[in-house]
Amino acid sequence: MVSPMGSSSRSAPSRTLWALVALTTLAGLGLTFWASRESTEREQARLEAEFQLEVRTLVRALEREIGLFVSVLASLGELHTLSEAVSDEAFAEFVGKGLLHQKSVLGAFGFAQRIPRELRAAAEYRGEDSAPLPFTEWTPNGIRPAGDRSEYFPLTYQAPELGLGLPLGFDMASLPGQSAALERIRSGGGSALGALAPSFQPGQPAGFFVLAPIRAEGELRGFTVAALWPQAVLERALQQAGIRQMQITFFDPQFGVPPRSPEARWIAELPVAVADQEWMLRCEVGEDYRTLRGAGSATLIAAAGTVITVLLAAALGILAERARAIERTVSERTRELLEANRLLAAEMDERARLQEALQTATLREQQRIGQDLHDSLGQKLTGAVFLARAVGAAGEAERAELLEKLIDLLKESIAQVRRMARGLAPLEVGEEGLAPALRRLAEETCEVFNIACSFDDRGAPPGLSREAAIHLYHIAQEAVSNAVKHGGATDVRIDLTEQALRIEDNGRGFDPAAQSDGAGLRIMRHRAARAGGRFEIRSEPGRTIVRVEFRAPPGH
């Protein structure tokens, strides 16, 4: 006969065991929740720090681009004073051949000279050997002859011709909003952000004229001017900084503050100096930023903790008679889970430090290249050349001494510039030299890769500049390299006509839409635009065609 006390005695260990199972389950789930939450907070803090670092990196890249633009524009003022010692033809020839760095930074630029009312007639006449330069001004209905004013700032030179979208003789002071910028540079300030620049394409973002004063004996004699396109500068800075998955807004607060995105998770706004004005750079990221960049450690910890908790609870239920062993197992598993969480957190911290170190090293390299490009060698050489051309006006006694000093300076400067050029632009593609370069590319491809590669020369596009030729050569080089290395092509054809550059191969093909954001395609599109062409690519199994079509002379 079994007494109730005996039955109660046998059920007590079971109740204790199930209570232990329940306690272990709750503890495991609670620990998992805590570890997951801690990991989530760490991940959020890391992502936010990474976002802030990327924003600061972008601001520094943007300020470097704008600072380079403004400083190069200001340095051209020295050429304006030297240009009076040489002819217009010699000055135009030098600008076309000797200011490649300045033109690559500024694009089109020009000089505007201050002309008082009493000198207007003489300035418009310009002498018997030069064509008249009538002064014109802006009106809401178009450009018309300039009215009577106390002074004028006519555009006396621009490179290339009509590059600024305005005719020579146009009074830059007549543009809406330009007077405030003129007052700022007249009062002794540096470069100033001026009026809106004319847009050459429908839908193109607005640009602004930047004015850099030219002074002599403390008086404003005029200014150098170039069009700054903020959106283009921002795109170059984004490319340098490698920023992605951000919504970027670059705006002037004086014209209003655009609304913020309602879906933004993090928003950062930092000021950026644009000449003498302060613009704002707004960076916004949404949930996709966290999704694409998050390590997923919180989910991993939650899944691992849940699995471990279930296994522990199951083991407690099965091993009812080994409660002490189960307790030791639970304790051991808990310690392992905490250690795993600690190691995972340490690994995340190390990864964040490595990423920051990599970004810092990249930033230092970008700063070094920017400093090299901003070197004064080109300006020294420019001044030396103009002074050498003007030495004919010097007296006999000082001419020999000037020539000797200028020759030494020219030799040193030219040697340094050539060394820089070999490092930055090793490709030698001169005017009318694109076809021979493409022929060499085809021959070298045949020799190196042992495939068929032909070049058909049916004439180069008219007005092809050296810069445009270099961009077209690099496009062909990239297309041939992709065809051989990635497409497995055995037959590549390069065709050059007056209307287009075309590269066709018989490789395996790919989906251009799926790789539209790839660095290679983005760079080729950028080069085609810089060369004045329109980039197209079509691909299917067995055939890929890369084409750069020209609607106007490239490089203009």
Side-chain angles (χ1 to χ4, degrees), residues 18 41 84 90 96 128 136 144 206 209-210 213 216 359 374 407 454 456 461 493:
W18 285 112
E41 292 177 355
E84 298 178 356
E128 296 180 357
T136 57
R144 69 175 186 186
F209 285 122
V210 178
Q359 291 173 345
H374 195 256
I407 289 172
S454 62
D456 186 5
R493 287 179 290 173

Side-chain angles (χ1 to χ4, degrees), residues 297-357:
S297 57
T299 303
L300 179 63
I301 290 175
T306 302
V307 170
I308 292 174
T309 300
V310 171
L311 292 176
L312 288 174
L316 285 172
I318 295 172
L319 302 176
E321 301 300 328
R322 304 181 60 183
R324 293 182 181 179
I326 291 175
E327 289 177 357
R328 288 194 300 269
T329 301
V330 170
S331 178
E332 181 180 352
R333 295 294 185 271
T334 302
R335 285 195 301 271
E336 291 176 357
L337 182 59
L338 292 174
E339 179 65 15
N341 184 59
R342 185 188 67 79
L343 294 175
L344 183 58
E347 182 179 352
M348 291 171 59
D349 290 340
E350 180 65 17
R351 179 179 178 183
R353 287 193 295 270
L354 291 175
Q355 289 179 343
E356 183 174 0

Side-chain angles (χ1 to χ4, degrees), residues 276-541:
D276 62 340
Q277 302 294 308
E278 186 175 88
W279 285 33
M280 293 298 295
L281 179 72
R282 177 189 294 166
C283 300
E284 303 174 87
V285 293
E287 189 62 31
D288 57 338
Y289 185 87
R290 177 181 177 277
T291 303
L292 294 174
R293 299 198 179 197
S297 57
T299 303
L300 179 63
I301 290 175
T306 302
V307 170
I308 292 174
T309 300
V310 171
L311 292 176
L312 288 174
L316 285 172
I318 295 172
L319 302 176
E321 301 300 328
R322 304 181 60 183
R324 293 182 181 179
I326 291 175
E327 289 177 357
R328 288 194 300 269
T329 301
V330 170
S331 178
E332 181 180 352
R333 295 294 185 271
T334 302
R335 285 195 301 271
E336 291 176 357
L337 182 59
L338 292 174
E339 179 65 15
N341 184 59
R342 185 188 67 79
L343 294 175
L344 183 58
E347 182 179 352
M348 291 171 59
D349 290 340
E350 180 65 17
R351 179 179 178 183
R353 287 193 295 270
L354 291 175
Q355 289 179 343
E356 183 174 0
L358 178 60
Q359 291 173 345
T360 301
T362 302
L363 177 60
R364 283 200 302 268
E365 182 64 15
Q366 291 174 349
Q367 290 174 338
R368 185 189 66 80
I369 295 174
Q371 290 171 355
D372 290 343
L373 290 176
H374 195 256
D375 198 272
S376 62
L377 285 175
Q379 295 304 316
K380 289 170 58 181
L381 181 58
T382 299
V385 171
F386 275 96
L387 289 176
R389 290 184 175 182
V391 75
E396 193 67 27
E398 62 179 328
R399 183 177 300 172
E401 181 181 355
L402 287 175
L403 280 174
E404 182 177 358
K405 293 171 69 175
L406 286 173
I407 289 172
D408 292 339
L409 179 59
L410 282 173
K411 287 181 179 180
E412 177 186 352
S413 300
I414 291 173
Q416 293 180 4
V417 170
R418 285 178 176 172
R419 286 195 296 270
M420 291 177 62
R422 293 192 194 100
L424 296 176
L427 178 64
E428 295 294 338
V429 180
E431 294 184 3
E432 304 299 327
L434 178 59
L438 292 176
R439 183 173 287 105
R440 288 195 304 272
L441 175 62
E443 293 172 354
E444 291 171 358
T445 301
C446 293
E447 294 175 0
V448 174
F449 298 104
N450 195 24
I451 65 169
C453 184
S454 62
F455 171 63
D456 186 5
D457 179 12
R458 288 180 283 173
L464 187 67
S465 67
R466 179 179 182 273
E467 181 183 3
I470 290 175
H471 286 304
L472 294 178
Y473 178 86
H474 280 303
I475 291 173
Q477 189 180 47
E478 178 72 12
V480 171
S481 176
N482 290 341
V484 176
K485 295 181 180 180
H486 304 299
T490 59
D491 186 5
V492 181
R493 287 179 290 173
I494 306 173
D495 296 329
L496 180 63
T497 68
E498 293 185 355
Q499 293 78 31
L501 169 66
R502 186 175 185 272
I503 304 95
E504 180 177 352
D505 67 78
N506 66 343
R508 64 177 64 94
F510 66 100
D511 183 3
Q515 299 187 21
S516 60
D517 292 333
L521 291 182
R522 291 203 312 271
I523 291 174
M524 285 197 284
R525 289 194 186 95
H526 173 72
R527 289 190 180 278
R530 291 295 301 274
R534 183 169 60 89
F535 179 79
E536 295 180 351
I537 183 168
R538 300 194 304 271
S539 183
E540 60 186 21

Side-chain angles (χ1 to χ4, degrees), residues 37-52:
R37 187 179 64 180
E38 286 291 313
S39 178
T40 299
E41 292 177 355
R42 285 175 178 269
E43 188 173 287
Q44 291 291 334
R46 176 185 67 82
L47 288 175
E48 187 171 3
E50 182 178 321
F51 166 68
Q52 296 293 340

